[in-house]
Amino acid sequence: MSALSETWQVTPKQVNLDLDGDTLREECGVFGIYGHPDAAAITALGLHALQHRGQEAAGIVSYDGSVFHSERKLGLVGDNFSDRATIERLEGLSAIGHTRYSTTGETVLRNVQPLFAELDGGGFAVAHNGNLTNGLTLRRNLIRDGAICQSTTDTEVIVHLVARSRKDRVIDRFVEAIQKLEGAYALVALTNKKLIGARDPLGIRPLVLGELDGRYILASETCALDIIGARFVRDIENGECVVISDEGIESFRFVPEQTARPDIFEYIYFARPDSVVNGRSVYEVRKGMGRELALESPANADVVIPVPDSGVPAALGYAQTCGLPYELGIIRNHYVGRTFIQPTQSVRELGVRMKHSANRSAIAGKRIVLVDDSLVRGTTSVKIVRMMREAGAKEVHFRISSPPITHPDFYGIDTPEKEKLLAATHDLEQMRQYIGADSLAFLSIEGVYRAMGEKGRNPAQPQFTDHCFTGDYPTPLTDLAVATPRRLAVLAEAD
């Protein structure tokens, strides 16, 4: 939720051609395994599968029965955890890992997870996906009481709360700590004798249990189990804590039972298409959203074009329902990094063609339907529409397989403040004019719920966390009462 300087008076010709600037970002993926001789190597593989959840940094902490070992690196998993020497330094039968994307501020090594501390009773490492909506408040109170914070992540609050608990058992100290948390979190923690997993009371962030060679695994998504050949056991339930040790696995609730509200954006954008989240195939749900979009907003066109990569399943569903040809009209170069030097404006304006290029043969002279999963600031859509017209598209009809994003997120998604969200400040026709399309349509919130297999949204008790579309925040936003959005973002950086 970083402060931005751009204004909505910008014209398409003034837009900086950088397709990374207008996408939603999820912050983290977590992974843990207990009692396996290849714990570190398996964790590294699991993090490879979860790379889409965070590309700025990665870390692994292992335990060899007497000593904890930590390797935390800036950059991609493959760039830092593929060599034998690094894995060999991570000795032990148990390990946890983390991939990270920071929403604001500088990415520095002190913020890379898992975080580790020597506490009374032994070592404690923790990795966190989500965001605490009272993290700043807890942090401020801890510092007033004498705590010394070494990072700017809200995850460190958890370490301090565990350290200050007066409970005798580590698991009781952990539970006492997380009972003070508000917001969204999926946690994996490693102690001298246990691997611990916990999911927030509403199950906003995903966490699954797997098994490999008789050893238990915790991971953000099932795709991390698939890459290592592990068996999916079940989802960790909302408000559930699992404890894995030499004695097996123990499960209990740390809060009273309530109805789950998983984040709808896991299905729309964040989770990998081959993952199964809360019993639903992400790929099939996204195709379903495309089908619903086609029924709600058909277009008089010749061909359906996905905006890669996240728009692909929805575009397939849209094309199949409308009976239109499906073509790859935009080719994405997956080998372009984010560090390309762009010294002049003329070179910067060529940057869009480095990452996305038009397939002219599929576009020229045709009326096209562009299908994307979401629209945030709208700047990316401006660039894509312009690219299609330059490639000879006769008409460009834009279809979004989710509702308009009108409210910011506070649960671990990088979204701008409300005034920077295009749909929060423009009506449909103004948005169409801004991106330069011949027509523009969004999937309704009811269409999203139908694609999820529901009859519709229950306004009295929504089945999912959908606040970005509805403004219905499912938890208290405690920190907003004590800080501006900018100060909140800087002092309580999401993980």
Side-chain angles (χ1 to χ4, degrees):
M1 283 66 80
S2 57
L4 301 173
S5 59
E6 64 180 329
T7 64
W8 288 118
Q9 284 69 43
V10 66
T11 64
K13 288 185 179 180
Q14 294 171 313
V15 174
N16 181 18
L17 296 180
D18 176 9
L19 286 184
D20 286 328
D22 186 33
T23 56
L24 296 169
R25 305 246 184 222
E26 229 276 341
E27 279 70 42
C28 295
V30 297
F31 187 94
I33 184 168
Y34 185 87
H36 198 285
D38 296 317
I42 289 170
T43 300
L45 286 171
L47 295 183
H48 272 286
L50 298 172
Q51 186 73 86
H52 62 288
R53 300 187 71 89
Q55 298 87 47
E56 291 191 356
I60 298 175
V61 170
S62 67
Y63 181 63
D64 66 6
S66 59
V67 177
F68 284 85
H69 306 272
S70 176
E71 293 281 342
R72 298 184 298 159
K73 308 285 186 178
L74 301 179
L76 300 175
V77 177
D79 293 338
N80 293 295
F81 291 96
S82 294
D83 62 289
R84 179 180 297 180
T86 300
I87 298 301
E88 288 180 347
R89 288 196 297 270
L90 292 163
E91 301 178 51
L93 301 180
S94 300
I96 63 173
H98 187 269
T99 62
R100 180 173 188 267
Y101 176 83
S102 63
T103 57
T104 62
E106 183 182 5
T107 299
V108 292
L109 197 59
R110 66 192 175 114
N111 287 338
V112 180
Q113 298 185 45
L115 299 184
F116 172 77
E118 290 286 356
L119 307 182
D120 180 31
F124 177 79
V126 63
H128 169 209
N129 168 218
N131 190 46
L132 307 182
T133 55
N134 66 337
L136 176 60
T137 302
L138 292 170
R139 179 189 180 94
R140 182 186 58 184
N141 293 338
L142 286 164
I143 291 174
R144 284 178 177 174
D145 288 343
I148 300 174
C149 292
Q150 301 294 320
S151 75
T152 60
T153 69
D154 55 0
T155 308
E156 190 173 5
V157 167
I158 300 169
V159 178
H160 283 287
L161 291 174
V162 173
R164 288 168 178 252
S165 173
R166 294 295 179 260
K167 300 286 186 180
D168 293 329
R169 298 195 308 160
V170 173
I171 186 59
D172 294 331
R173 299 168 73 180
F174 178 79
V175 168
E176 184 179 63
I178 63 176
Q179 286 174 335
K180 296 182 172 72
L181 308 181
E182 296 173 0
Y185 54 87
L187 303 172
V188 294
L190 186 63
T191 72
N192 299 59
K193 296 182 179 180
K194 295 176 174 64
L195 173 66
I196 305 169
R199 195 174 178 193
D200 64 75
L202 292 175
I204 298 174
R205 290 281 156 256
L207 190 65
V208 300
L209 177 70
E211 179 268 327
L212 177 68
D213 301 330
R215 310 303 184 190
Y216 285 113
I217 295 167
L218 295 168
S220 290
E221 294 182 36
T222 59
C223 64
L225 304 178
D226 296 337
I227 197 174
I228 59 174
R231 178 179 66 90
F232 170 74
V233 177
R234 64 177 179 87
D235 290 289
I236 302 302
E237 296 181 3
N238 56 305
E240 181 186 12
C241 182
V242 294
V243 183
I244 300 164
S245 66
D246 290 340
E247 284 71 45
I249 184 169
E250 174 189 4
S251 169
F252 57 89
R253 288 193 168 273
F254 59 90
V255 291
E257 185 173 357
Q258 56 185 299
T259 302
R261 286 187 63 179
D263 189 356
I264 198 73
F265 256 114
E266 292 287 345
Y267 301 95
I268 293 171
Y269 182 84
F270 294 126
R272 241 174 60 168
D274 54 329
S275 284
V276 176
V277 177
N278 300 307
R280 293 177 171 89
S281 162
V282 174
Y283 177 77
E284 291 300 330
V285 167
R286 289 179 187 169
K287 281 188 67 178
M289 290 177 182
R291 288 192 292 269
E292 293 292 334
L293 181 61
L295 294 172
E296 291 183 358
S297 302
N300 189 13
D302 302 311
V303 64
V304 176
I305 305 290
V307 177
D309 287 320
S310 54
V312 169
L316 278 170
Y318 190 98
Q320 290 172 358
T321 302
C322 286
L324 291 174
Y326 170 92
E327 298 287 352
L328 297 180
I330 303 172
I331 306 302
R332 181 177 178 183
N333 183 353
H334 291 269
Y335 304 100
V336 176
R338 300 175 62 190
T339 57
F340 176 69
I341 299 172
Q342 301 172 330
T344 66
Q345 179 65 24
S346 61
V347 173
R348 283 196 296 270
E349 290 183 355
L350 294 175
V352 65
R353 304 181 192 278
M354 292 183 57
K355 194 164 187 178
H356 293 79
S357 59
N359 181 7
R360 187 175 297 270
S361 65
I363 296 168
K366 297 179 181 177
R367 300 167 300 171
I368 69 170
V369 181
L370 282 174
V371 179
D372 204 355
D373 61 88
S374 58
L375 189 152
V376 187
R377 297 178 181 91
T379 52
T380 296
S381 301
V382 169
K383 303 159 196 174
I384 293 293
V385 170
R386 186 194 313 168
M387 182 192 300
M388 296 297 96
R389 295 204 186 279
E390 290 175 352
K394 189 176 180 180
E395 295 177 8
V396 180
H397 302 275
F398 221 113
R399 297 293 181 266
I400 308 296
S401 60
S402 66
I405 299 175
T406 54
H407 293 75
D409 180 81
F410 300 102
Y411 300 111
I413 302 172
D414 180 17
T415 56
E417 294 90 353
K418 185 170 183 176
E419 62 270 19
K420 303 300 181 183
L421 294 167
L422 187 64
T425 56
H426 292 61
D427 63 26
L428 185 64
E429 175 58 19
Q430 289 171 332
M431 286 189 282
R432 184 199 66 77
Q433 292 179 11
Y434 178 80
I435 68 174
D438 292 283
S439 71
L440 173 66
F442 293 83
L443 181 61
S444 69
I445 189 68
E446 293 299 320
V448 170
Y449 275 74
R450 287 193 297 269
M452 296 292 296
E454 305 286 342
K455 293 182 179 180
R457 184 180 190 269
N458 180 357
Q461 190 175 47
Q463 302 94 312
F464 300 95
T465 291
D466 56 15
H467 53 280
C468 287
F469 310 128
T470 64
D472 181 4
Y473 293 94
T475 74
L477 302 178
T478 301
D479 287 343
L480 291 185
V482 298
T484 65
R486 178 60 177 169
R487 184 166 178 266
L488 173 65
V490 172
L491 295 182
E493 187 174 328
D495 293 292

